[in-house]
Amino acid sequence: MISVNDFRTGLTVLVEGNLFRVLEFQHVKPGKGAAFVRSKLRNLRNGNVTEKTFRAGEKVEKAQIDNRKMQYLYAQGDEHVFMDLESYEQTTLAEAQIQDELMYLLENMELHIQSYQGEMIGIELPNTVTLEVAETEPGIKGDTASGGTKPAKMETGLYVNVPFFVNQGDKLIVNTGDGSYVSRA
């Protein structure tokens, strides 16, 4: 059991028999009344996002998640195929289970598949990924010092705000936590 006061983004918990991942949480201490924790949780079985409020100090069960290193192979309809790097066994995950991570997935990328009691529930991406710029407006000479940004569409369809000096075809390092530009690769 874990106290809701110890919530962290990415934590997996069991609430009312359902498996949830904490997306956001906020500790609220009103001037009158007891403190509480307002949270946004994603159901890992169907992908629905729920807002739930807990009393401060309330206990929920922490889910024991197993991680296995796998390789992303390809998309087949609305399912995505992964291969275990040790046994070469192939596993599929529904698009609804990994919809937030899809914009960072490239074929042959190695990552961790998370499972709960043998049931595949999602993936854990590395902190950063290297993606190629598919399209962006060309930089104008003299704009590099102003510190501004422009939108760039990456090879996976993700839009990232990048500095003016970035051109089409450049490889960039992108933060998977918030989708922000980190640096050139």
Side-chain angles (χ1 to χ4, degrees):
M1 297 295 267
I2 186 172
S3 170
V4 294
N5 296 336
D6 298 328
F7 270 11
R8 297 181 320 274
T9 301
L11 181 71
T12 308
V13 294
L14 278 169
V15 179
E16 300 166 1
N18 289 317
L19 199 57
F20 290 99
R21 173 162 296 128
V22 178
L23 299 177
E24 295 175 13
F25 65 96
Q26 180 183 18
H27 295 278
V28 180
K29 297 176 187 157
K32 182 179 177 184
F36 57 92
V37 176
R38 188 176 293 133
S39 62
K40 190 180 276 190
L41 308 170
R42 166 169 280 124
N43 186 320
L44 294 178
R45 292 195 172 103
N46 60 24
N48 292 343
V49 175
T50 309
E51 291 196 16
K52 190 150 178 64
T53 303
F54 300 95
R55 292 184 309 278
E58 190 173 333
K59 301 270 187 199
V60 293
E61 190 174 340
K62 184 178 178 186
Q64 185 62 43
I65 303 298
D66 298 319
N67 285 322
R68 289 184 14 218
K69 192 164 185 142
M70 297 188 115
Q71 183 178 36
Y72 176 62
L73 295 179
Y74 57 89
Q76 184 176 11
D78 63 345
E79 292 193 331
H80 297 269
V81 181
F82 297 85
M83 179 180 69
D84 190 317
L85 293 173
E86 293 175 11
S87 67
Y88 301 108
E89 170 186 329
Q90 291 187 5
T91 308
T92 59
L93 281 174
E95 195 165 303
Q97 291 177 289
I98 58 172
Q99 61 191 10
D100 291 343
E101 294 90 352
L102 279 178
M103 290 299 185
Y104 304 102
L105 280 182
L106 292 172
E107 289 184 0
N108 302 320
M109 176 185 267
E110 291 184 11
L111 39 82
H112 288 93
I113 296 281
Q114 299 173 327
S115 61
Y116 175 72
Q117 296 178 347
E119 174 189 0
M120 301 295 176
I121 56 169
I123 62 176
E124 183 179 320
L125 292 169
N127 292 334
T128 59
V129 293
T130 303
L131 300 173
E132 187 175 327
V133 177
E135 61 184 64
T136 187
E137 295 175 10
I140 300 167
K141 190 170 185 162
D143 277 346
T144 56
S146 66
T149 60
K150 61 182 180 179
K153 184 178 181 181
M154 308 309 282
E155 60 188 309
T156 59
L158 176 71
Y159 280 92
V160 178
N161 284 327
V162 298
F164 287 121
F165 60 79
V166 172
N167 296 312
Q168 188 169 329
D170 287 355
K171 290 200 178 285
L172 306 179
I173 297 174
V174 178
N175 182 339
T176 58
D178 58 6
S180 64
Y181 165 84
V182 176
S183 67
R184 282 184 171 167

